[in-house]
Amino acid sequence: MQPLEVARIDGQWVTWSEQLEEWLPLPLAPEATENDVRHFYAGRDRQITIVTAGGHQ
């Protein structure tokens, strides 16, 4: 399974949806850190890649 792409856009953590071809917000507080995001997904047994959002906009 491919790692999910995650980015921070305007203070909101988001993940890229290949099916919808858009960024979707994550249920995390704006003050969440990169470590918080990694922990969020580790608890769901998913790997992520933190990216800059420019690649999909």
Side-chain angles (χ1 to χ4, degrees), residues 25-48:
L26 294 176
L28 297 170
E31 60 271 7
T33 65
E34 187 174 313
N35 191 47
D36 294 330
V37 175
R38 291 187 188 285
H39 182 71
F40 174 79
Y41 278 110
R44 287 156 180 77
D45 201 31
R46 293 297 308 261
Q47 292 188 359
I48 64 166

Side-chain angles (χ1 to χ4, degrees), residues 5-55:
E5 291 185 351
V6 176
R8 189 175 199 135
I9 301 175
D10 296 328
Q12 173 69 51
W13 286 103
V14 293
T15 189
W16 181 252
S17 169
E18 288 291 335
Q19 291 179 325
L20 300 175
E21 296 185 349
E22 67 179 310
W23 291 103
L24 301 176
L26 294 176
L28 297 170
E31 60 271 7
T33 65
E34 187 174 313
N35 191 47
D36 294 330
V37 175
R38 291 187 188 285
H39 182 71
F40 174 79
Y41 278 110
R44 287 156 180 77
D45 201 31
R46 293 297 308 261
Q47 292 188 359
I48 64 166
T49 300
I50 306 273
V51 299
T52 59

